[in-house]
Amino acid sequence: MAAAGATLLVGTVGVGPAEAKGKDVIVQNSRGMAKFDHRGDKVVAWDKKPDGRWIEAEIMWNLGGKPGTEGFSVYAKGAGALKTKRARIPEGRKAAIRMCVWKPGRTDCSAWHYGRA
């Protein structure tokens, strides 16, 4: 189920020639944000609101499956919480990220959005 009001922002502004093939992805709404930053393969989850919910940034790569065969999640729990983890995705590999909003008894996730390491 797509998170209501999810917004996708994508860009490669300010990267050098060696990094120009990578593509960042941001999925966000008023509750939080999930981001893949291809510079360093960083996955970020940010919980923006004090509403008893938490944010999951789910990343997948090796996209032979739906959406991938390798990946992990980063969780930000509590208003203002920001968590980051490095993915170590092989250079040039396509990556998929989505944002999930968790609350007891229910999880709402955005669609998968694609970037490149």
Side-chain angles (χ1 to χ4, degrees):
M1 178 174 196
T7 303
L8 171 67
L9 304 172
V10 180
T12 57
V13 176
V15 297
E19 298 174 317
K21 292 181 182 177
K23 183 173 153 186
D24 296 345
V25 180
I26 297 174
V27 183
Q28 66 181 357
N29 63 24
S30 63
R31 296 189 191 289
M33 178 187 76
K35 178 181 180 181
F36 171 67
D37 183 339
H38 81 278
R39 292 167 298 275
D41 294 339
K42 292 178 284 213
V43 179
V44 179
W46 178 26
D47 185 346
K48 296 179 183 180
K49 291 185 113 178
D51 58 6
R53 297 178 171 113
W54 59 92
I55 300 298
E56 173 189 15
E58 187 176 3
I59 184 85
M60 299 295 290
W61 62 95
N62 289 335
L63 302 175
K66 290 196 175 206
T69 57
E70 294 182 55
F72 60 85
S73 293
V74 177
Y75 297 90
K77 297 179 182 180
L82 183 80
K83 300 293 181 184
T84 303
K85 183 174 180 180
R86 187 163 181 218
R88 301 183 193 280
I89 301 171
E91 192 66 28
R93 186 75 42 97
K94 190 174 182 181
I97 191 168
R98 71 179 179 176
M99 182 183 81
C100 297
V101 178
W102 287 74
K103 68 178 182 178
R106 183 173 173 174
T107 304
D108 293 316
C109 295
S110 72
W112 289 98
H113 298 281
Y114 298 91
R116 189 165 301 279

